[in-house]
Amino acid sequence: MSDVLDKPAGSPALKIVGSRPIRPDGADKVTGRAAFGADFNMPGQLVGRVLRSPHAHARIVSIDTRKARALPGVKAVITGADFPDVASEMHDGGESASNLRDLAMNVMARTKALYNGHAVAAVAAVSAAVAEAALALIEVTYEVLPHVIDVEAAMAPDAPVLHPHMFTEGLDAKPTTPSNIAKRNRLGRGDPDQAFAEADVVFEGRYTTQAVHQGYIEPHACVASWAEDGQCEVWSSSQGQFMVRTYCAKVLGLETSSIRVTPAEIGGGFGGKTTVYLEPLALALSRQSGHPVKMVMTRDEVFRATGPTSGAVILVKFGARSDGTIIAADVELKCQAGAFAGSPVGAASMTALACYDIANFSITGWDVVTNSPKVAAYRAPGAPIAAFGVESALDDLAHKLEMDPIALREKNAVRDGVKAAYGPKFTNIGFLETLAAIRDSDHYSAPLGRNQGRGVAAGFWFNVGGESTAAVHVGEDGSVAVVTGSPDIGGSRASMAMMAAETLEIPLDRVRPRIADTASIGFSMLTGGSRTTFATGMAVVQAAEKVVADLKRRAALIWEVAEDQVDWAGGAAHCLDPGKDVGPLTLGDIAAKAATTGGPITAQVSLNAQGAGPGFGVHVCDVEVDPETGHVTVLRYTAAQDVGKAIHPAYVEGQVQGGVAQGVGWALNEEYIFDGEGRMENAGFLDYRVPVASDLPMIDAILVEVANPRHPFGAKGVGEVPIVPPLAAVANAVRGAIGVRMTDLPLSPPKIRAVLDARDG
Amino acid sequence: MSQLQYLAPSTIDDAVLALAASGARALSGGTDLLVQLRAGRMAPGAIVDLKRIEGISGIRQEGGAFIIGAATSGAVIGEHAALCRAWPGVVEAVNLIGSTQVQGRATMAGNLCNASPAADSVPALIAARAVCIIAGPGGRREAPVEDIVTAPGRTSLAQGEFIVAFRLPPRPARSSDAYLRLIPRTEMDIAVAGAGVSLTLDAEGRVSEAYVALGAVAPTALLVADAGAALVGGRLDEDSLSRLDAAARAACRPISDKRGTIEYRTKIAGVLARRAAQAAYQRASDQA
């Protein structure tokens, strides 16, 4: 840090951080040159395909693979029997924790298929056609069991039980019978019962959401090679090459050092690529066949077998004084986990009331397994679900109190020094500033027309730090490579290069950001939790500072002066010793003489970053409802967010816009639809309706910058907050337009038309 | 494993011969066929690409009628100024199919012969009283568009038969048409319900002739005579519009599925019929 502080007084303000240069990966992406997961090929590779359960819940009585193995061109056939038993053990991946035994059983079913799409066998063959034919020859005998998908139905005492060993954790006493309720968690403060009794106004609501998919455009894809000496290579698209390495090692019983994972360019993740599905299968198929194996999911497989986020039921009760002070709150969340425990109900509970300073509250969360794909992280996991209930209820409370919805939120907003509902004391937060940004926006006071409504909602996300490594290598020509272990899912290459260039005080085009394989850079947690620009960025800045210190040392050596007689400014060393008549030495000058001053100029920093600043967003949305069709048009959308410091404002705005787009889809049309047998009916982008470009107006982003003092440039995580408010912002706007509260997402046209028919009697 | 043969005949006779073989499927734009093939929903022995047949693409006028070659893409149809003036409803229906990229390939013949109840161009073509010119082993024949689809995924075309062209009839003065559909999104979607209306006004602005066709509310697109009759003689006053709405709803025999319920589809068919009638009426009036 001293190198930055040592700058001469009156040093110029930031030159690169805060500007909007073209991203380093931009040209490859717009020309189609970028190599995504499915673009990698190896000589002699086979095609791997997965046989998936047609049933939502079934015991696997037997699997006969003999006919498939006998088919010419088939080189490997694997089932659950080809994988070792994995002990129950939690592994924290950065965005969410996974039980490794569950992960292993999700990758390949053992004794039971727990959802339609659960992998039960896999083959590797010389062509896709042979592999498909082989799948058809695998004979699986199932004993079909009753299934349950709805979260409350799964909690019922008579529900079919997925895991006979599952006894609800977190109850006052251990239950005597197994159930689908994996866990109950509770948070609380004060005496809510007493406070509700004292409240002037009480409002209560019940809200429901459906499972929604992350909807990344790039399906999961990998190539894996298991060599004769037991050394493994994996090329795959994921949010963390080290995560892939760890999970493959655990599922297959390998040492991490025997696996090298090279990250491909990633075509969207949104949390959904924070786990593995194909990689362990491809490795097992490669081991059996002796060839590299390539696997690429179809869209159908992505929907049926990879993580959506939970469908949920949210119960919210607020008690307030007539001046709008909320004195009591009760929130209950029931979240689908899918086939294995681990819904985001914990984060949902912790975020539910994080925006508000409430003296008495109780929050209860239920993690419930269901016969649907195991949920995976999805952008601020759990928070949008909780916010849908809480922010819808707040909107109705504001109506009841005849208060402006922003005024009600301002009255109860958390500020510095307040102890958050989930524990820590807030510092350097910008929630009030973000509320004010919307309150004072043109949008908030613009007139509305007929059948139009306006909705406001707030949202919170923790943002995390965690373990990251970065290396800065100076080439002999003075150009710089910045190497990290963090896949770029949201423009982080640009921010890494910008922070390095700012620190080194050199032009951005002299810095090239790279993302390395697991053998070429130190460990880094996956890209998730909005941690990369904060934590990996911190490592980049510290590595660049080490390089600057080294450059000054080398300049001192060349000039034969004391190190404290060297200043670094404008990308060059300047001699402060008045006795020396020397000009500045640029980075290139020093790099050219590196051999004579100690060898290559390079620095690596590994750290566990602490002090990520929490993020707050406030959104305002205008809609128009067609009273005859129930179709909702989003007319205008403005999202304000405290981002700490926007390293690259355009990409921060892009994060905000992307989060809003996904949230609007969640609110209006996206949902998993299952038939009576528990099979997903809309496993494709035609009937699983993510918004298309024409469904959305330009989304205006207002960046509020309340700096995070723990980051060198003040950055806070930005990628997750923007998906938290939209569900309620849209629902509140619809309420404004039609005068009726809709509590069940998605707000699809048939549901709205039915409500309008009921309203108009 | 089965082998898939690809044939691209250059004459109608060769195409008829190729399509007469069992397991042969006609390929036009391929925007449905190739998707279904990849999804494993069909396994034809041969694909007969009709686009190489001379004269099968393009639009020409013949004594006031428009002859639209079966392989003419949506993009070409959308850029034909005279066709857009005469049949804006047919053109807007065709142009609703898929994305801009799909429009470069998709054809009306493919949209019709895919035999989906929700095909967008079909209600518009039926309301327009369009006729199919069909080639087959027995020579040429003609059939109104509403006679082609017999059930979801099934057509009345015999083995070896295929559509060569569509004919849209000559247009009297003060005539126009419109097509509307309801989708949950704004594009790239499949109709929950659709309505095509074609009408002609007399000199006083009264509807002298009207045809109403509905999509996605029955196993096949419907020509609803009562709905057309409700408009004739009036100027789209509230009374005739409510009779149109009621007649449209009465004709519906939809299913409930992931895209919509029986109740919703039925209500929307009435709403869309009214709105399409108003759009067509406005267009016809603007010509006067």
Side-chain angles (χ1 to χ4, degrees):
Chain A
M1 291 300 290
S2 61
D3 299 305
V4 173
L5 297 175
D6 279 352
K7 270 188 219 166
S11 72
L14 297 174
K15 285 183 177 147
I16 296 167
V17 166
S19 68
R20 299 172 178 243
I22 290 171
R23 62 201 299 158
D25 48 313
D28 276 357
K29 282 178 177 161
V30 299
T31 57
R33 195 180 296 276
F36 293 90
D39 291 328
F40 190 81
N41 294 293
M42 283 281 283
Q45 79 186 15
L46 303 173
V47 178
R49 284 278 194 279
V50 179
L51 183 68
R52 299 185 180 279
S53 169
H55 306 297
H57 195 193
R59 197 175 314 287
I60 299 170
V61 178
S62 65
I63 304 178
D64 187 340
T65 61
R66 284 171 296 179
K67 285 181 189 163
R69 285 178 195 281
L71 185 70
V74 173
K75 303 293 185 186
V77 183
I78 56 169
T79 67
D82 292 276
F83 293 86
D85 287 331
V86 176
S88 178
E89 178 196 342
M90 294 307 289
H91 177 82
D92 191 348
E95 175 82 80
S96 53
S98 293
N99 183 306
L100 295 169
R101 183 190 58 197
D102 291 347
L103 179 89
M105 296 205 302
N106 191 42
V107 163
M108 182 64 84
R110 308 294 157 98
T111 55
K112 280 216 292 188
L114 294 162
Y115 54 94
N116 165 229
H118 199 168
V120 296
V123 303
V126 293
S127 72
V130 174
E132 298 284 350
L135 291 185
L137 293 173
I138 297 174
E139 293 168 0
V140 185
T141 307
Y142 293 101
E143 178 196 342
V144 179
L145 302 169
H147 72 278
V148 63
I149 293 174
D150 176 79
V151 66
E152 287 184 326
M155 294 172 79
D158 59 345
V161 170
L162 274 71
H163 303 289
H165 59 79
M166 183 176 281
F167 294 84
T168 310
E169 290 176 30
L171 297 182
D172 302 331
K174 189 188 169 181
T176 54
T177 52
S179 76
N180 295 322
I181 304 172
K183 193 175 181 180
R184 181 187 72 172
N185 62 58
R186 302 183 87 167
L187 288 171
R189 180 182 296 168
D191 186 344
D193 289 343
Q194 179 68 29
F196 275 117
E198 290 168 8
D200 299 321
V201 176
V202 173
F203 181 83
E204 197 164 358
R206 181 182 189 277
Y207 309 86
T208 50
T209 70
Q210 298 304 314
V212 296
H213 198 270
Q214 294 81 349
Y216 33 82
I217 298 300
E218 180 201 24
H220 298 263
C222 71
V223 177
S225 175
W226 188 309
E228 286 71 9
D229 61 358
Q231 294 302 303
C232 298
E233 297 269 1
V234 176
W235 297 263
S236 80
S237 163
S238 80
Q239 287 175 239
Q241 59 273 46
F242 290 93
M243 172 276 298
V244 172
R245 186 181 71 167
T246 300
Y247 286 164
C248 287
K250 294 289 185 181
V251 170
L252 294 159
L254 295 169
E255 289 195 317
T256 53
S257 60
S258 340
I259 308 173
R260 180 169 69 161
V261 181
T262 303
E265 194 58 68
I266 180 168
F270 313 110
K273 290 177 183 164
T274 58
T275 189
V276 293
Y277 300 100
L278 296 177
E279 290 88 343
L281 306 184
L283 280 169
L285 289 167
S286 177
R287 174 178 54 187
Q288 195 179 101
S289 65
H291 292 268
V293 173
K294 179 170 181 172
M295 301 185 83
V296 181
M297 281 197 196
T298 63
R299 181 64 55 191
D300 185 88
E301 289 180 288
V302 171
F303 276 112
R304 279 181 213 282
T306 75
T309 193
S310 313
V313 175
I314 312 109
L315 303 158
V316 183
K317 185 178 173 188
F318 280 121
R321 293 208 187 96
S322 50
D323 70 350
T325 307
I326 299 170
I327 55 172
D330 189 358
V331 178
E332 185 174 5
L333 297 142
K334 304 167 187 175
C335 288
Q336 283 173 326
F340 298 95
S343 77
V345 73
S349 302
M350 289 164 75
T351 57
L353 299 173
C355 290
Y356 306 106
D357 183 11
I358 302 171
N360 306 283
F361 66 84
S362 154
I363 302 168
T364 308
W366 301 93
D367 182 24
V368 183
V369 295
T370 51
N371 291 115
S372 47
K374 157 101 176 75
V375 302
Y378 180 17
R379 223 169 176 162
I385 293 168
F388 172 58
V390 166
E391 297 292 317
S392 295
L394 271 182
D395 195 60
D396 281 335
L397 182 65
H399 279 280
K400 218 166 166 175
L401 290 163
E402 296 180 352
M403 270 184 89
D404 173 82
I406 290 184
L408 176 63
R409 287 169 173 84
E410 284 177 322
K411 179 109 194 155
N412 295 284
V414 290
R415 56 204 78 203
D416 283 357
V418 168
K419 187 171 150 61
Y422 63 95
K425 193 172 275 191
F426 282 125
T427 55
N428 307 106
I429 61 169
F431 185 38
L432 281 171
E433 291 83 346
T434 308
L435 282 163
I438 290 297
R439 184 193 61 214
D440 300 339
S441 66
D442 292 347
H443 182 170
Y444 194 60
S445 51
L448 287 168
R450 213 164 146 253
N451 299 319
Q452 295 178 1
R454 175 166 298 147
V456 170
F460 165 87
W461 187 246
F462 315 94
N463 301 323
V464 302
E467 296 166 80
S468 281
T469 302
V472 173
H473 305 301
V474 179
E476 65 270 25
D477 57 358
S479 65
V480 173
V482 172
V483 184
T484 73
S486 301
D488 177 1
I489 65 172
S492 60
R493 262 182 290 226
S495 63
M496 297 304 139
M498 291 169 73
M499 288 185 279
E502 187 76 56
T503 307
L504 294 166
E505 300 190 48
I506 58 175
L508 183 61
D509 61 10
R510 301 229 75 198
V511 178
R512 193 72 201 170
R514 305 279 179 193
I515 299 158
D517 65 74
T518 54
S520 305
I521 188 76
F523 178 82
S524 299
M525 291 168 88
L526 53 75
T527 297
S530 298
R531 62 175 291 277
T532 302
T533 295
F534 175 74
T536 308
M538 196 183 280
V540 165
V541 170
Q542 289 186 13
E545 286 168 352
K546 280 173 94 169
V547 166
V548 168
D550 188 26
L551 291 166
K552 287 166 68 176
R553 183 188 61 77
R554 291 168 192 255
L557 212 58
I558 293 166
W559 287 327
E560 297 178 329
V561 299
E563 277 180 48
D564 64 5
Q565 292 301 300
V566 179
D567 179 41
W568 186 262
H574 301 268
C575 188
L576 301 178
D577 184 340
K580 293 274 178 183
D581 182 19
V582 289
L585 283 170
T586 65
L587 179 56
D589 296 335
I590 300 170
K593 294 179 181 164
T596 62
T597 56
I601 305 169
T602 182
Q604 178 162 317
V605 168
S606 293
L607 48 70
N608 187 355
Q610 304 298 314
F616 294 84
V618 180
H619 294 191
V620 55
C621 168
D622 292 354
V623 301
E624 181 168 324
V625 178
D626 182 329
E628 289 188 311
T629 64
H631 190 279
V632 175
T633 303
V634 179
L635 298 172
R636 187 173 180 185
Y637 204 107
T638 305
Q641 186 173 321
D642 172 24
V643 300
K645 170 70 184 173
I647 305 299
H648 190 305
Y651 299 155
V652 173
E653 288 160 6
Q655 286 292 319
V656 173
Q657 291 161 336
V660 170
Q662 289 186 307
V664 168
W666 197 336
L668 290 181
N669 282 308
E670 293 182 40
E671 61 177 321
Y672 267 56
I673 303 172
F674 294 96
D675 69 11
E677 307 302 312
R679 298 186 181 111
M680 188 182 181
E681 285 197 290
N682 57 335
F685 278 138
L686 182 58
D687 287 303
Y688 181 88
R689 295 187 172 83
V690 299
V692 296
S694 54
D695 289 340
L696 295 163
M698 180 64 193
I699 295 158
D700 292 315
I702 302 174
L703 305 184
V704 177
E705 296 189 321
V706 176
N708 175 11
R710 301 292 294 272
H711 183 270
F713 297 107
K716 295 175 180 170
V718 300
E720 294 177 286
V721 179
I723 200 174
V724 183
L727 285 60
V730 171
N732 293 344
V734 168
R735 191 213 175 277
I738 66 174
V740 182
R741 166 63 54 189
M742 305 278 294
T743 57
D744 179 31
L745 296 186
L747 306 183
S748 54
K751 274 189 205 161
I752 292 188
R753 169 78 201 238
V755 162
L756 293 172
D757 287 346
R759 179 194 70 181
D760 302 335
Chain B
M1 263 158 296
S2 58
Q3 292 288 317
L4 176 60
Q5 220 187 345
Y6 172 81
L7 302 166
S10 56
T11 68
I12 287 175
D13 289 349
D14 286 350
V16 166
L17 213 59
L19 278 172
S22 125
R25 289 294 298 251
L27 171 73
S28 189
T31 59
D32 284 312
L33 186 77
L34 297 184
V35 175
Q36 290 165 10
L37 206 59
R38 283 183 57 147
R41 289 210 291 274
M42 60 164 73
I47 284 179
V48 183
D49 187 346
L50 304 176
K51 290 191 292 294
R52 307 275 178 88
I53 297 171
E54 202 176 328
I56 201 157
S57 293
I59 301 164
R60 65 178 197 277
Q61 283 177 268
E62 228 170 57
F66 284 91
I67 312 291
I68 304 171
T72 312
S73 72
V76 169
I77 289 170
E79 288 179 3
H80 196 283
L83 185 67
C84 291
R85 267 196 308 279
W87 296 100
V90 169
V91 173
E92 70 194 352
V94 172
N95 287 164
L96 281 174
I97 301 164
S99 61
T100 301
Q101 292 90 331
V102 166
Q103 281 290 312
R105 304 292 292 178
T107 67
M108 294 196 301
N111 196 224
L112 176 60
C113 294
N114 183 51
S116 159
D120 283 308
S121 69
V122 176
L125 285 167
I126 291 175
R129 311 306 302 129
V131 169
C132 302
I133 301 163
I134 298 160
R140 288 206 172 206
R141 69 180 177 98
E142 295 193 354
V145 167
E146 61 268 27
D147 286 359
I148 301 299
V149 181
T150 55
R154 293 182 183 279
T155 71
S156 58
L157 296 178
Q159 191 81 46
E161 282 193 326
F162 67 96
I163 296 172
V164 176
F166 292 87
R167 187 173 63 234
L168 290 167
R171 212 66 172 124
R174 294 180 298 278
S175 297
S176 199
D177 65 341
Y179 174 79
L180 290 172
R181 67 172 182 182
L182 189 286
I183 55 172
R185 288 187 286 212
T186 49
E187 59 181 325
M188 306 285 289
D189 217 329
I190 287 191
V192 175
V197 174
S198 174
L199 46 73
T200 299
L201 309 183
D202 65 19
E204 280 74 49
R206 285 193 194 84
V207 176
S208 58
E209 196 177 13
Y211 298 95
V212 177
L214 301 175
V217 291
T220 64
L222 303 173
L223 177 63
V224 187
D226 290 350
L231 298 176
V232 173
R235 292 190 177 89
L236 260 63
D237 48 279
E238 196 40 53
D239 177 54
S240 64
L241 284 173
S242 354
R243 279 188 288 120
L244 164 70
D245 191 324
R249 281 184 282 118
C252 292
R253 289 175 282 123
I255 55 167
S256 284
D257 67 4
K258 62 193 171 190
R259 294 182 185 137
T261 59
I262 291 171
E263 298 75 24
Y264 184 69
R265 286 193 151 115
T266 305
K267 285 175 191 168
I268 295 309
V271 171
L272 295 176
R274 264 192 284 122
R275 292 182 181 182
Q278 286 168 318
Y281 185 87
Q282 189 60 48
R283 286 169 180 170
S285 306
D286 289 346
Q287 292 172 16

